[in-house]
Amino acid sequence: MITLKAYRTATTLCIPDPTLHDATKHKISLAEGTPVQRELVTACAGAGGGGGGVPFEVWCRHYYPNVRDQVIAKATLPLAKMCAMVTMQKSMQPSVQTFNLPLTHAGPGSTLESTNSHIMDAEKRAKCVQSGLLDVTVRYNTSITQVSDASVDAAVKNSKGAQVCITVHVIRASGIKAAAESLAHTNSAMQYPSEVGVNAYVKIKLSFLSPEDTRSTRTVARTFAPDFSTQLDFPCPLLWTESNTDALSLAEILQTGEVTLEVWHQVSGLQSGLESHYFLTGTSDQVMLEAVV
């Protein structure tokens, strides 16, 4: 069963019509013949949008009198529109559609529930109902993946045992300017970021986990010393069982395992699914691991 997880874009300047230019991928692996629409309905059943779709929230960061984040508007991508994309998709061809989602003001005392409806005039009601639009582009594509029976059996065995959580804290990075300038010599698209700052984020990979378990931090815009302050969790079984090998404990695997951290630059205006527009700016293979039982 798939579930919705919260995702936050990078922070941008607070202007009347902000442009986020943020993209993220969501991969769903289903058995052949499983209706995608049914899985979407199940995932959205417990969402903040009341089960009617994928909820979005617009937040604003205030710096006075203290630093705080406050939600100012909400929107929902209707489940019916996503299901329609799945239904209307042509065989093995990507489907791209842009939605203009109406934003509902979420400020204190502005919701319809908190105001007596019979004394609210039409103008105030209109302001509460809609306070702008959120443009969201969705790119949907399908592919067939062949998985061996041995790999499936091993994955099932590993998922049923006791697990611990390895937590990786990504605090900050430095020295990215030199890496960006080096890339600019061979890739002209990196020339401007190497001068004003890169939109940096970090990919974290554990050598003993599958590529699908790769995690990414949020993107920090226009900087050569990004402060991520991000904590990422990697659930791991205490006992690993693989085909044609003896069972191994997590402690044995950690003796030879490693964590790879890759610093990437996100290009502004990137379209969903175009990972070729990301440029690697550096790697590191050392990080402190914290196991949480």
Side-chain angles (χ1 to χ4, degrees):
M1 183 181 69
I2 62 175
T3 57
L4 293 183
K5 294 183 179 180
Y7 171 81
R8 194 181 78 172
T9 68
T11 305
T12 187
L13 291 177
C14 186
I15 58 178
D17 296 311
T19 303
L20 299 171
H21 288 312
D22 197 90
T24 182
K25 289 184 178 180
H26 304 278
K27 182 178 179 180
I28 305 174
S29 299
L30 300 175
E32 186 177 1
T34 303
V36 179
Q37 296 90 332
R38 185 186 66 187
E39 298 299 322
L40 291 175
V41 171
T42 303
C44 294
V54 179
F56 291 83
E57 294 180 348
V58 180
W59 289 69
C60 180
R61 173 163 295 176
H62 300 274
Y63 294 92
Y64 183 82
N66 58 338
V67 178
R68 68 192 188 281
D69 292 338
Q70 180 180 351
V71 59
I72 57 176
K74 297 182 179 181
T76 300
L77 176 58
L79 181 59
K81 294 185 180 295
M82 291 190 295
C83 291
M85 290 187 65
V86 176
T87 304
M88 300 300 293
Q89 184 203 25
K90 297 181 180 180
S91 178
M92 298 301 172
Q93 294 184 6
S95 175
V96 182
Q97 189 170 349
T98 299
F99 303 98
N100 305 115
L101 308 179
L103 288 168
T104 302
H105 186 47
S110 63
T111 59
L112 297 178
E113 292 81 0
S114 62
T115 308
N116 197 343
S117 60
H118 72 273
I119 63 173
M120 180 185 294
D121 55 38
E123 182 179 357
K124 183 181 292 186
R125 183 185 296 273
K127 290 182 179 179
C128 289
V129 171
Q130 183 173 333
S131 57
L133 294 173
L134 179 66
D135 296 334
V136 177
T137 299
V138 178
R139 184 179 188 269
Y140 174 75
N141 195 12
T142 58
S143 61
I144 299 177
T145 304
Q146 299 293 337
V147 182
S148 64
D149 294 338
S151 299
V152 174
D153 294 339
V156 171
K157 291 179 181 178
N158 291 334
S159 63
K160 289 183 178 180
Q163 293 187 335
V164 296
C165 188
I166 294 180
T167 301
V168 179
H169 295 269
V170 183
I171 302 175
R172 65 182 61 89
S174 60
I176 296 180
K177 183 176 178 60
E181 290 176 344
S182 177
L183 278 175
H185 293 308
T186 56
N187 195 319
S188 59
M190 287 297 299
Q191 184 62 45
Y192 182 70
S194 67
E195 298 173 357
V196 301
V198 300
N199 302 326
Y201 73 99
V202 178
K203 285 185 178 181
I204 301 95
K205 305 176 183 178
L206 272 63
S207 61
F208 46 86
L209 295 180
S210 64
E212 288 75 14
D213 293 319
T214 300
R215 303 283 193 273
S216 299
T217 68
R218 64 186 179 89
T219 302
V220 181
R222 290 194 176 187
T223 179
F224 294 116
D227 189 346
F228 299 104
S229 300
T230 301
Q231 175 177 307
L232 302 166
D233 296 330
F234 296 83
C236 301
L238 287 175
L239 186 64
W240 293 72
T241 305
E242 298 182 359
S243 59
N244 302 325
T245 60
D246 295 332
L248 295 175
S249 67
L250 180 59
E252 293 175 302
I253 292 178
L254 287 177
Q255 289 180 352
T256 56
E258 65 180 12
V259 177
T260 300
L261 291 93
E262 299 176 346
V263 182
W264 290 70
H265 166 66
Q266 180 179 355
V267 178
S268 299
L270 175 71
Q271 296 180 4
S272 177
L274 300 182
E275 190 163 323
S276 59
H277 283 209
Y278 291 74
F279 301 98
L280 179 63
T281 58
T283 61
S284 173
D285 291 330
Q286 297 181 353
V287 70
M288 181 176 295
L289 299 182
E290 174 187 355
V292 181
V293 181

